[in-house]
Amino acid sequence: MNNSEKLINSFSEALGIDASTVSDSLEYQSIPEWDSISHMILISQIEEDFEVSIDTDDVIDMSSVAKAKEILSKYYIVF
Amino acid sequence: MKVTIPNIKISSIAACLPQSEVDLESFFDLYGKEETEKIISVTGIKKVRYVSGDEISSDLCLQAAEYLISMTNTERESIDGVVFVSQTRDYIIPATSPSLQHRLNLSKDLVAFDVPYGCTGYVYGLFLSSMLISSGSCKKVLLLAGDVNSKTINKMDRSLTMVFGDAGTASIVEHSTDESIYFNIKTDGSGYDRLIIPAGGYRNPSTQATQEVTERENKNFRSDEDLYMDGMSVFNFAITEVPTIIKESLADNHLEVGDVSLYALHQANELMLKYINKKLKADRSKVPFCASEIGNTGPASIPLMLSTNYAETTEDLSKSILCGFGVGLTWGTALLSLNDTKIFKPIIYNNQV
């Protein structure tokens, strides 16, 4: 599984949505499943799946799948 | 607003928890097993305490106060101030603190205030109590802080039901020969609607429409007379402002992060404390979270945490920072020594009294 697939999996697991609905354009609160609580679940899931510790400011900034990739690249995760 | 008030201490602290313990796994049927388990794992809150009968904040605080007065052999006549911090007071009119003076059989030569604040409330109440003593108005103030959050939230609003609990606390604040308390308090009322019960007051009086429970954002259900929290905004506010005010408070007192004995933060949830501490970079053991079987108890959470974790401790608490943050929006710190504070384990509410 490459990192893009891994990230799709993290979103799918954390938000409880089908992997086919996860795309770069998916944004926070654009679907009912991605609310404030599931955002925190998502952050924990990404931290676990990618074995990183996400900075506090990045938690707030991670407002879309595309943004998640951008932020994870700071932690040397290549997409 | 920053000030150091000399010759003040919290001499004792007690807490009272409701009898009823709710295991959050009991919400499997309501929210689904997977969703419920995920929320529990993120918030770190596995159980919450709810009042089960007609008891309310003042009842829980009253029993905490009776216990504290008894355990410390405090003369009732010596208490000349009552500060009651709660958002769930007995009546809209009158204030609850006068009735607590009567119910606790305290002197009539006493000043009584209600402070209708939530998660910053303990710092606000401590500030007001300290001012009353510092000004020479009072010698001994009974600071009561508690909320019955379970009565303000709709069970179908999982963002709140899975986090909040009920509790009451009592502290005695009095003159000290050698201790002082530094306060740093901030207010941003532009965020008044981030944590709000929109209707039932005078701005939006109660009507049939405001009582109607409807589906809101993200499959949560509530009425306009139930508590609403914009979770993400509050999270952003907390993880931005709390580390900043703590660092500012440390700098004002020429302290480094590692010099502090205890960071007694409002016990919102474990995740919030984790991300606040990621910025603060304090030793994790000095930023305790102890609400995993209690829940977020608003203004009671700081003294309740002290009661739960530090009763009869021998640990050095000479440089303790209390930090409340939340509804208003308001946030504040108090830097003080708790070494001479008698802290008692929480008691369970007795409905037979």
Side-chain angles (χ1 to χ4, degrees):
Chain A
M1 193 186 292
N2 64 32
N3 283 336
S4 289
E5 288 164 346
K6 206 163 150 184
L7 187 63
I8 288 170
N9 205 43
S10 301
F11 272 83
S12 168
E13 277 285 310
L15 307 183
I17 56 175
D18 197 279
S20 64
T21 60
V22 181
S23 66
D24 278 4
S25 59
L26 184 65
E27 289 183 345
Y28 173 66
Q29 286 196 327
S30 64
I31 53 171
E33 289 84 356
W34 193 355
D35 64 0
S36 59
I37 291 184
S38 54
H39 186 72
M40 299 309 155
I41 295 169
L42 172 67
I43 299 294
S44 298
Q45 186 84 44
I46 290 174
E47 284 189 330
E48 194 182 317
D49 292 348
F50 288 90
E51 295 177 352
V52 293
S53 176
I54 295 169
D55 284 347
T56 302
D57 291 334
D58 291 334
V59 173
I60 305 167
D61 286 345
M62 204 176 282
S63 53
S64 68
V65 175
K67 196 75 186 170
K69 287 181 177 172
E70 189 184 316
I71 287 167
L72 282 171
S73 67
K74 292 199 301 187
Y75 299 84
Y76 309 106
I77 311 287
V78 180
F79 289 92
Chain B
M1 186 245 41
K2 295 180 196 175
V3 66
T4 298
I5 302 182
N7 305 114
I8 294 288
K9 67 175 178 184
I10 303 174
S11 58
S12 52
I13 296 173
C16 178
L17 289 168
Q19 288 179 349
S20 172
E21 191 177 65
V22 179
D23 192 323
L24 294 181
E25 290 186 357
S26 66
F27 289 109
F28 281 177
D29 289 345
L30 207 54
Y31 310 133
K33 184 172 184 287
E34 201 178 341
E35 170 90 353
T36 307
E37 283 176 339
K38 280 179 183 171
I39 295 173
I40 290 171
S41 75
V42 167
T43 61
I45 296 171
K46 300 176 184 71
K47 293 175 183 174
V48 292
R49 288 265 181 176
Y50 285 163
V51 291
S52 51
D54 294 332
E55 64 268 27
I56 52 175
S57 308
S58 65
D59 304 322
L60 296 171
C61 287
L62 181 92
Q63 289 199 2
E66 288 287 5
Y67 179 65
L68 192 61
I69 289 168
S70 158
M71 294 300 285
T72 56
N73 294 314
T74 299
E75 295 287 339
R76 288 174 199 262
E77 286 295 312
S78 69
I79 296 170
D80 49 7
V82 169
V83 173
F84 176 59
V85 183
S86 181
Q87 300 173 112
T88 43
R89 293 167 296 158
D90 290 21
Y91 305 102
I92 294 174
I93 295 174
T96 304
S97 48
S99 79
L100 283 163
Q101 171 273 330
H102 172 65
R103 293 169 71 194
L104 285 162
N105 199 22
L106 302 177
S107 164
K108 288 181 185 170
D109 287 323
L110 172 150
V111 64
F113 288 103
D114 279 19
V115 179
Y117 278 73
C119 307
T120 321
Y122 191 70
V123 173
Y124 261 81
L126 182 59
F127 171 65
L128 180 55
S129 304
S130 302
M131 291 283 284
L132 289 171
I133 292 164
S134 171
S135 66
S137 312
C138 295
K139 289 191 170 56
K140 197 173 282 187
V141 176
L142 186 59
L143 167 59
L144 306 170
D147 257 331
V148 282
N149 294 302
S150 63
K151 292 186 185 287
T152 69
I153 57 186
N154 193 299
K155 293 280 181 295
M156 290 301 292
D157 190 335
R158 72 198 198 298
S159 64
L160 300 176
T161 304
M162 296 282 290
V163 173
F164 282 95
D166 304 334
T169 66
S171 309
I172 292 175
V173 182
E174 60 185 304
H175 181 267
S176 160
T177 49
D178 51 1
E179 300 293 349
S180 60
I181 306 181
Y182 160 93
F183 289 95
N184 187 348
I185 294 176
K186 295 179 191 281
T187 303
D188 179 8
S190 69
Y192 78 98
D193 57 354
R194 303 295 190 272
L195 266 156
I196 189 171
I197 297 177
Y202 297 101
R203 179 70 65 191
N204 299 307
S206 177
T207 64
Q208 206 170 347
T210 63
Q211 291 170 16
E212 193 182 347
V213 176
T214 56
E215 184 173 354
R216 308 298 172 97
E217 76 293 324
N218 309 323
K219 298 178 286 183
N220 288 316
F221 287 77
R222 65 175 176 275
S223 80
D224 281 345
E225 295 185 29
D226 294 321
L227 181 65
Y228 162 71
M229 177 172 72
D230 179 346
M232 204 59 184
S233 289
V234 173
F235 184 82
N236 290 354
F237 150 72
I239 62 178
T240 306
E241 299 297 350
V242 172
T244 305
I245 196 171
I246 290 176
K247 285 179 182 170
E248 192 178 291
S249 304
L250 294 178
D252 288 349
N253 290 279
H254 312 293
L255 293 171
E256 301 291 331
V257 171
D259 295 336
V260 172
S261 339
L262 171 67
Y263 292 91
L265 306 189
H266 163 56
Q267 305 283 291
N269 61 65
E270 196 168 25
L271 189 91
M272 188 95 92
L273 266 56
K274 174 184 157 185
Y275 281 103
I276 287 171
N277 197 36
K278 270 194 181 187
K279 277 192 165 174
L280 199 57
K281 297 184 173 60
D283 180 341
R284 190 70 185 91
S285 67
K286 292 185 176 177
V287 193
F289 175 72
C290 77
S292 61
E293 299 199 346
I294 297 169
N296 174 347
T297 55
S301 87
I302 293 173
L304 179 57
M305 187 279 282
L306 294 170
S307 172
T308 307
N309 270 24
Y310 296 94
E312 292 160 26
T313 185
T314 53
E315 280 183 47
D316 172 39
L317 299 178
S318 59
K319 293 184 181 68
S320 298
I321 284 200
L322 317 185
C323 181
F325 49 90
V327 64
L329 298 169
T330 55
W331 60 111
T333 60
L335 173 65
L336 74 171
S337 171
L338 294 170
N339 272 357
D340 294 332
T341 306
K342 287 179 190 159
I343 305 175
F344 299 96
K345 279 272 180 206
I347 57 167
I348 303 297
Y349 183 75
N350 180 354
N351 58 9
Q352 303 300 315
V353 175

